[in-house]
Amino acid sequence: MSDNMETNCWEDAYVEPRASSKEWLKQNVMPTRSGTAAYAKSLFPIFTWIYRYNWTWFLGDLIAGATVGAVVIPQGMAYAKLVQLPPEFGLYSSFVGSAMYFMFATSKDNTVGPGAVMSTLLGHVLQDLLVKLPEFKDQPWIVAGCMSLVLGCIAAAIGLLRLGFIVDFIPLPAIAAFITGSALNIAMGQIPALMGNNSVKAYDTRASTYLVFGNFFKYISHCDMNAAVGLTALFLLYAIRSACKFGTHRWPRYEKVFFFASTLRTVFVILLYTLISYLVNRNHRDNPKFSILGTVPRGFKHMNVPTVNSHILSAVASKLPSVIMVMVIEHISISKSFGRINNYTINPNQELIAIGITNIFGPFFGAYPINSAFSRTAINSKAGVRTPLAGLITASIIAIAIYGLPPVFFYISNALLAAVIIHAVGDLISKPTTIRSFWRISPFEFVIFWAGVIVSVFSSMDNGIYTTVAASAALLLFRIARARGDFIGTVQVHSQLSESTNASTDLKAIYNCSTEGSRRVYMSLDGTAEGTNPSVKPETPPAGIYIYRLNEGYLYPNAVHFTDHMVAEIKAQTRPGILNPYGSLGNRPWNDPGPRQKSESDIDTSLPLLRAVILDFTGVSNVDITSIQNLIDVRKQLDCYSDNDVVWHFSGVGSPWVRRALVAGGFGSSDPAMHTVFSVANVAAACVLCMQNWADTSLLVLLDGMASVLKKQQPQFPKVLELACTLCDAHKQVMGSKLAYKEMMKLPQPKTKVVGNGVINYKEVPCTGHCLGSGIYTDTT
């Protein structure tokens, strides 16, 4: 009969495979033929949609590409001046970004080219580098081209190695602070050019923002005719935008008309003021009435192989981290934002490859480092772009401008370009409603945001991004390290579905329940910690049994904090197993509190002895060596404190690697005291006080394929088992072991029942999950 029982039970049992390093390497590291083919195919996303290209898509791309092309031409020349480069380099960079990016892109909306933030940062970097590299003072584009090539290689390598997830470590407040601080820096730096007093030699427009602001008023008497051009152009840009916004709300039927009118306002204002400049300065080309752009060479005059040598690389190395950080953050953030808006998903790794390849080939055409531009991406999206191929249309328009419009560019006013830049970056400053929402969601990150803005204004842009990233990382580590668990109990929750609601029938059908029902939930004994009704008091576990839930991953930063909190609470609610375990006063530790001579009256005998600890690992996805060793140390500490072998159970262990780590740490073993991973004071012998024998029950623990007998357990054990098994009832994978089963069947079996998973559970407790130590045979005789 025993043989038949063994056969029937084993047929229904599930044997979970062991976690092994070989299997992990095979699944996560070793390439497969299909995986390699998919990886190679993912490098060229264009092949997944180009064969479906049609005339409807082409019409949308044509309109969007032409619109962006008209906007990027003046913006590109204006942003090139932020980098201290001649305006034609802005056109080269715009062309390369549009012509190269579309082949590798996963975002249809993104437009790659010169951006205000990136250009300003590069301008500050070049200003510092040219001090170290004076031989390139007359040819700064050589240094810019070298930086573009190096940055492109770094970005492409990050994408190829699939490390794009590191961008997720930069939180939104850090990005918002950097962009806001940069926008203030850019706008303030352009006001002197707008007003015409930037010609004063003592006026450094690239100093810290607060210095530029003070110097503007110091030299305000030097403003000239440029102020009339710049201020009126800026006013006209805002007036057209406001009028189009009003017209959209007033006449919604003409929304598209107003959209294109607003989008092309920059082109209209530049054409208008360029015409005025031509009429005023055509007879004063050598001595114009106000500052103009001057000669812009026709064609690609700076196509060349970029210069890369150790001298330049050693100079730029210290500046690369801030620039690559800004390039990656801005590009991925813009790509993800418009992907969510238009309901598609981008691949961050592939986007990094795309931006990397674009910057690698850019210097061959004379381009400087580029990334996404928020304003032009918004225009591209609203104009109805259908595919990334719109970039090719934009590149065609830029190429026409490079070869056909240089004579027109001669008369463009520098004050007008300053107005265009100020108008463009004004939208990058965080709105008051956004800042207020930061405060309401997370006051700590609100402080980080302002810290980044203040550092950007009073120091520099790169110091601003370093400050916010470092502060955000410190906050993250603090939250992980100071995470606390909760001691939990049970609450009986009664629910009633109203018969009058239409959803009642559907809910009853879904949950297969009546209109009245109840369920048992586990919640913190400190009900206020979860925002629950403080008048509802959870039912605590039996005396001496503690259920502790870890609310974060159990890793080395927070392992000690978790267990210190747990041990302190347990000691406060239990009494030690022995009054004075040290014997004489001389053997007593110096830090043991209490009276000089302890007596029975010094102990609150109403407190229970510690019997069992149940750890809820539902929220734990990973453990490490430090955390497991800490758990081993705590087990030994509590065994010594309680003067018995405290029973340990783990509920909700979902990862096989976590189970493997617990087994390696000796949990589930009959001799846990002999297990030590690593200890600075590696004492092999267990505490003598923990070797006291009990004489009530013998039991068999099933744990990841190993069977071991723990003898002489306390009578409280059945309740421990019930709590541990019920706690993991929601987890549906059953653990089992043929070896453990056979060993179990050799033992006497009074008052037991064999369940379908091949595990004998006390009182038919429904343990159907990853409950380490929960499948237990008990001999109650």
Side-chain angles (χ1 to χ4, degrees):
M1 179 177 178
S2 176
D3 294 338
N4 293 334
M5 182 182 297
E6 176 181 353
T7 304
N8 294 334
C9 291
W10 180 245
E11 288 176 354
D12 297 330
Y14 166 75
V15 180
E16 182 181 32
R18 290 179 178 271
S20 65
S21 301
K22 180 179 179 182
E23 196 65 26
W24 186 90
L25 290 172
K26 182 178 179 180
Q27 294 178 359
N28 298 279
V29 178
M30 300 301 293
T32 61
R33 181 175 298 179
S34 59
T36 303
Y39 177 82
K41 184 179 179 181
S42 69
L43 299 179
F44 300 94
I46 187 174
F47 295 129
T48 63
W49 55 266
I50 191 64
Y51 63 90
R52 294 182 283 113
Y53 203 79
N54 53 68
W55 286 105
T56 303
W57 289 2
F58 174 75
L59 181 61
D61 289 344
L62 179 63
I63 296 172
T67 304
V68 173
V71 173
V72 73
I73 292 171
Q75 279 192 354
M77 292 188 293
Y79 293 155
K81 296 178 71 64
L82 295 176
V83 195
Q84 304 186 63
L85 295 177
E88 62 267 23
F89 286 91
L91 296 175
Y92 303 155
S93 301
S94 302
F95 171 80
V96 173
S98 301
M100 293 291 300
Y101 173 73
F102 81 96
M103 291 185 289
F104 307 95
T106 60
S107 170
K108 71 178 181 68
D109 300 294
N110 235 343
T111 59
V112 174
V117 176
M118 187 70 174
S119 297
T120 303
L121 180 60
L122 285 170
H124 288 288
V125 169
L126 275 180
Q127 186 179 29
D128 295 338
L129 291 178
L130 292 178
V131 176
K132 302 177 183 179
L133 304 169
E135 63 271 26
F136 298 106
K137 188 172 183 180
D138 296 330
Q139 295 178 309
W141 52 84
I142 294 179
V143 180
C146 177
M147 286 191 66
S148 178
L149 183 62
V150 175
L151 291 169
C153 291
I154 295 174
I158 294 173
L160 289 169
L161 294 175
R162 296 300 190 249
L163 300 177
F165 65 88
I166 60 176
V167 180
D168 297 331
F169 286 94
I170 311 298
L172 180 60
I175 299 172
F178 171 74
I179 293 177
T180 298
S182 301
L184 294 172
N185 185 292
I186 295 166
M188 195 64 243
Q190 291 303 304
I191 287 179
L194 182 82
M195 303 298 292
N197 64 344
N198 60 332
S199 58
V200 180
K201 292 185 178 180
Y203 196 171
D204 183 9
T205 59
R206 295 190 179 275
S208 298
T209 306
Y210 78 100
L211 292 176
V212 177
F213 181 77
N215 288 332
F216 168 74
F217 290 100
K218 183 178 180 180
Y219 301 109
I220 195 170
S221 59
H222 294 272
C223 294
D224 53 20
M225 183 64 70
N226 288 284
V229 177
L231 288 175
T232 55
L234 185 61
F235 172 79
L236 187 56
L237 286 168
Y238 278 106
I240 294 174
R241 187 175 74 171
S242 299
C244 291
K245 187 180 295 185
F246 173 79
T248 300
H249 293 292
R250 181 68 177 81
W251 297 284
R253 287 192 308 169
Y254 302 102
E255 181 180 359
K256 275 290 184 183
V257 175
F258 287 116
F259 164 73
F260 282 106
S262 178
T263 298
L264 298 174
R265 64 185 181 276
T266 302
V267 179
F268 168 74
V269 171
I270 286 181
L271 290 176
L272 174 63
Y273 278 81
T274 300
L275 176 60
I276 295 173
S277 176
Y278 169 75
L279 295 175
V280 172
N281 295 313
R282 58 181 175 173
N283 297 322
H284 308 280
R285 290 173 60 93
D286 297 331
N287 188 25
K289 298 295 183 181
F290 46 81
S291 177
I292 58 177
L293 203 58
T295 303
V296 177
R298 190 190 303 271
F300 292 90
K301 297 297 184 181
H302 296 277
M303 291 185 68
N304 205 342
V305 177
T307 301
V308 180
N309 55 52
S310 58
H311 182 45
I312 300 178
L313 290 177
S314 61
V316 304
S318 61
K319 301 293 183 180
L320 291 177
S322 60
V323 181
I324 189 66
M325 197 180 299
V326 172
M327 173 189 288
V328 170
I329 290 173
E330 196 171 15
H331 182 78
I332 298 300
S333 298
I334 293 173
S335 302
K336 285 185 175 180
S337 296
F338 283 92
R340 286 191 290 266
I341 290 172
N342 294 305
N343 195 29
Y344 65 88
T345 303
I346 63 107
N347 184 340
N349 293 306
Q350 183 59 32
E351 286 297 318
L352 290 175
I353 294 173
I355 199 71
I357 292 176
T358 301
N359 279 282
I360 289 173
F361 285 95
F364 292 90
F365 294 86
Y368 63 84
I370 53 178
N371 65 343
S372 297
F374 179 82
S375 59
R376 294 196 300 273
T377 300
I379 291 172
N380 201 29
S381 177
K382 292 181 180 179
V385 65
R386 295 301 187 93
T387 71
L389 197 64
L392 192 58
I393 297 171
T394 301
S396 302
I397 294 175
I398 297 171
I400 294 173
I402 290 174
Y403 283 97
L405 296 180
V408 179
F409 297 154
F410 181 90
Y411 291 100
I412 294 179
S413 167
N414 285 318
L416 173 62
L417 292 179
V420 170
I421 294 173
I422 294 172
H423 182 65
V425 301
D427 294 332
L428 299 180
I429 299 175
S430 297
K431 304 295 188 295
T433 54
T434 301
I435 299 174
R436 186 165 60 250
S437 67
F438 287 171
W439 169 256
R440 297 185 65 183
I441 295 171
S442 176
F444 286 110
E445 292 181 292
F446 173 83
V447 174
I448 291 175
F449 168 81
W450 279 113
V453 172
I454 291 171
V455 172
S456 297
V457 169
F458 288 92
S459 180
S460 63
M461 294 170 58
D462 49 348
N463 287 340
I465 188 65
Y466 288 148
T467 299
T468 53
V469 170
S472 299
L475 179 61
L476 174 65
L477 291 176
F478 176 80
R479 285 172 170 170
I480 294 174
R482 304 302 292 177
R484 284 184 56 177
D486 294 315
F487 287 94
I488 59 177
T490 60
V491 172
Q492 200 73 15
V493 177
H494 299 271
S495 59
Q496 181 172 352
L497 303 177
S498 174
E499 295 287 356
S500 61
T501 59
N502 294 331
S504 176
T505 304
D506 296 335
L507 288 173
K508 285 187 290 182
I510 293 173
Y511 293 104
N512 192 25
C513 64
S514 62
T515 55
E516 294 186 5
S518 65
R519 55 192 173 91
R520 184 167 61 174
V521 298
Y522 285 84
M523 58 177 289
S524 172
L525 293 177
D526 178 14
T528 57
E530 298 177 345
T532 55
N533 186 348
S535 63
V536 177
K537 302 301 181 183
E539 178 186 351
T540 60
I545 301 174
Y546 294 89
I547 308 176
Y548 191 71
R549 179 171 59 199
L550 285 74
N551 298 320
E552 295 278 353
Y554 185 56
L555 299 168
Y556 71 91
N558 57 21
V560 174
H561 189 66
F562 268 131
T563 53
D564 282 353
H565 173 242
M566 181 182 71
V567 171
E569 289 293 326
I570 289 176
K571 286 187 174 182
Q573 299 177 28
T574 60
R575 69 177 190 269
I578 298 179
L579 171 62
N580 188 7
Y582 310 108
S584 66
L585 185 62
N587 291 329
R588 182 174 170 182
W590 87 100
N591 60 347
D592 184 17
R596 180 177 178 84
Q597 297 294 337
K598 289 189 176 183
S599 63
E600 292 290 344
S601 60
D602 297 325
I603 296 180
D604 185 357
T605 56
S606 64
L607 296 177
L609 291 172
L610 176 61
R611 303 299 186 188
V613 175
I614 303 174
L615 294 184
D616 183 0
F617 265 42
T618 306
V620 177
S621 58
N622 291 287
V623 294
D624 55 25
I625 295 174
T626 306
S627 60
I628 292 297
Q629 179 60 47
N630 178 257
L631 213 54
I632 294 170
D633 295 340
V634 169
R635 177 175 59 185
K636 294 178 181 178
Q637 179 185 4
L638 292 180
D639 285 351
C640 291
Y641 169 76
S642 62
D643 190 32
N644 64 57
D645 293 334
V646 177
V647 179
W648 286 73
H649 292 275
F650 297 83
S651 173
V653 183
S655 168
W657 285 93
V658 175
R659 289 196 291 278
R660 169 174 159 158
L662 290 170
V663 171
F667 291 94
S669 169
S670 60
D671 193 8
M674 299 303 295
H675 285 78
T676 298
V677 180
F678 173 81
S679 177
V680 176
N682 192 4
V683 182
C687 178
V688 176
L689 301 173
C690 300
M691 298 301 182
Q692 303 294 330
N693 291 329
W694 296 352
D696 292 323
T697 310
S698 64
L699 46 121
L700 177 69
V701 179
L702 302 186
L703 177 55
D704 198 20
M706 66 181 298
S708 56
V709 177
L710 301 181
K711 295 184 178 180
K712 306 177 182 67
Q713 188 52 271
Q714 292 286 346
Q716 285 282 3
F717 177 74
K719 191 63 178 177
V720 178
L721 174 59
E722 182 178 356
L723 284 170
C725 295
T726 307
L727 188 62
C728 73
D729 186 50
H731 305 280
K732 300 302 181 185
Q733 185 175 351
V734 180
M735 295 181 59
S737 164
K738 189 169 184 178
L739 170 62
Y741 180 78
K742 288 184 176 180
E743 293 292 328
M744 180 173 58
M745 296 305 297
K746 297 176 182 179
L747 299 176
Q749 303 176 27
K751 298 185 182 179
T752 60
K753 180 180 178 62
V754 179
V755 297
N757 59 7
V759 178
I760 298 181
N761 289 334
Y762 182 85
K763 295 169 60 177
E764 303 180 47
V765 177
C767 176
T768 57
H770 299 196
C771 186
L772 301 190
S774 62
I776 299 174
Y777 169 83
T778 63
D779 180 7
T780 55
T781 61

